[in-house]
Amino acid sequence: MLPSRQRDERTSRPTLLEIVVPAHNEERRLPGGLLQLCAKLACLPFPTAVIVVDNSSTDRTAEIVRTWPQGPVPVRLIECPTPGKGAAVRAGLLETTAPFVGFCDADMATDLCAVEPACGLLLSGESIVIGSRAHPQADVENRHSKVRELGAFGFRALARVLVPGVSDTQCGFKFFDGGLAREMAARLRTDGFAFDVELLARCVAAGASVLEIPVTWHDVPGSRFSPARHSLSILLELVRIWLRLRAESSGALKLKQPLDPVGYP
Ligand SMILES: Nc1nc2c(ncn2[C@@H]2O[C@H](COP(=O)(O)OP(=O)(O)O)[C@@H](O)[C@H]2O)c(=O)[nH]1
Ligand SMILES: [Mg+2]
């Protein structure tokens, strides 16, 4: 916790970074995740905020956020009527106003020590910085089942076609220039788990480059993803993304603004 004078100085300045956390039936994992996230963000030398996006959870997820004790890092809740992680992240990104934005999973499976390097890179002009478990320096502790591993292998092969040059599209730890993220989120149509592929593919098609940074990642039990329930829908999502982007590729993906919105004192 920061001393009160320092806290007042932080809150009187505009928020520089907003982080979106999609959460569905996360009453078990969210409190610990939010504690870690707020503690990390409170140590940054500029004001930050967290937006949790719930999709009609049937447990105490929404109540946990509504009653979250407000400290130096404000935490607010938005409800997304459309089901799916992609729909939730889209709704959250569209609520942001900060010059830099990011999203991460409620389980904080990606170690938050990657927040500082990600912010540093954004501040030095990168427009997209994403965590990568495939980076040679990444440290990954994976307890996924063999079935999920096999599916992930196939998914990565297809994702590489849509987003060439990005080795891990699915790590739930991504940071963006705020204007770019909002513009791309407004175009996002994928509601489910494959939304990251569409988001990155749109950014690349718009001329932005994606920088992958190594992360420390450990599997946290309680995943919402089920290979049996979600594999087919993910495959269909990838096909739809491919068809949609092909249909749009006739110059319709030009950015409305140039990619230089830093302008923060
Ligand atoms: N709002 C919302 N969040 C979701 C939904 N599905 C998954 N999530 C969130 O997405 C994040 C990653 O999900 P997780 O179950 O850990 O998937 P995994 O890490 O890919 O196994 C977590 O914060 C989930 O709560 C959904 O339908 N709606
Ligand atoms: Mg997870």
Side-chain angles (χ1 to χ4, degrees):
M1 182 75 75
L2 289 165
S4 60
R5 209 179 119 255
Q6 225 175 319
R7 224 169 35 232
D8 292 341
E9 280 169 10
R10 282 173 60 101
T11 47
S12 64
R13 289 183 288 141
T15 301
L16 183 58
L17 171 72
E18 283 172 292
I19 296 197
V20 172
V21 180
H24 186 64
N25 288 341
E26 288 284 6
E27 68 177 8
R28 291 166 72 94
R29 303 193 298 176
L30 187 62
L34 273 183
L35 269 179
Q36 285 179 51
L37 183 60
C38 290
K40 171 55 75 178
L41 295 180
C43 294
L44 297 178
F46 46 77
T48 57
V50 174
I51 300 174
V52 179
V53 189
D54 174 43
N55 279 123
S56 314
S57 290
T58 51
D59 66 0
R60 293 181 54 253
T61 298
E63 188 193 330
I64 287 166
V65 184
R66 260 189 233 108
T67 57
W68 191 257
Q70 295 299 321
V73 179
V75 176
R76 68 189 167 108
L77 174 76
I78 67 166
E79 285 288 352
C80 172
T82 314
K85 181 181 178 186
V89 171
R90 176 181 191 271
L93 290 176
L94 290 176
E95 279 283 314
T96 62
T97 53
F100 301 114
V101 302
F103 60 83
C104 61
D105 292 345
D107 57 12
M108 304 298 148
T110 302
D111 194 298
L112 293 172
C113 64
V115 167
E116 285 104 340
C119 290
L121 288 161
L122 288 177
L123 281 162
S124 60
E126 293 292 338
S127 49
I128 309 170
V129 181
I130 66 170
S132 172
R133 293 161 295 182
H135 192 287
Q137 280 144 34
D139 182 3
V140 177
E141 181 217 347
N142 197 345
R143 286 192 297 253
H144 287 159
S145 67
K146 288 276 170 267
V147 179
R148 183 161 174 177
E149 277 303 299
L150 192 67
F153 180 79
F155 182 93
R156 281 195 294 273
L158 293 170
R160 265 196 295 275
V161 176
L162 287 157
V163 201
V166 174
S167 54
D168 182 9
T169 57
Q170 295 314 109
C171 183
F173 184 88
K174 295 186 171 68
F175 287 75
F176 300 84
D177 162 83
L180 174 69
R182 288 183 281 275
E183 188 165 348
M184 295 302 127
R187 298 175 184 178
L188 201 56
R189 294 291 167 266
T190 307
D191 292 335
F193 279 99
F195 78 98
D196 309 63
V197 173
E198 184 185 350
L199 186 59
L200 294 175
R202 286 189 180 283
C203 290
V204 170
S209 57
V210 179
L211 181 65
E212 290 188 87
I213 59 168
V215 289
T216 299
W217 189 91
H218 69 286
D219 182 46
V220 180
S223 171
R224 308 262 78 83
F225 182 84
S226 146
R229 272 188 298 126
H230 295 116
S231 292
L232 181 62
S233 60
I234 279 217
L235 186 65
L236 290 175
E237 281 184 345
L238 287 178
V239 173
R240 273 192 222 110
I241 293 168
W242 186 78
L243 289 170
R244 201 175 296 126
L245 292 183
R246 251 173 82 93
E248 290 177 12
S249 65
S250 50
L253 284 174
K254 295 260 173 346
L255 281 175
K256 277 189 235 127
Q257 292 160 356
L259 295 178
D260 186 22
V262 177
Y264 193 82

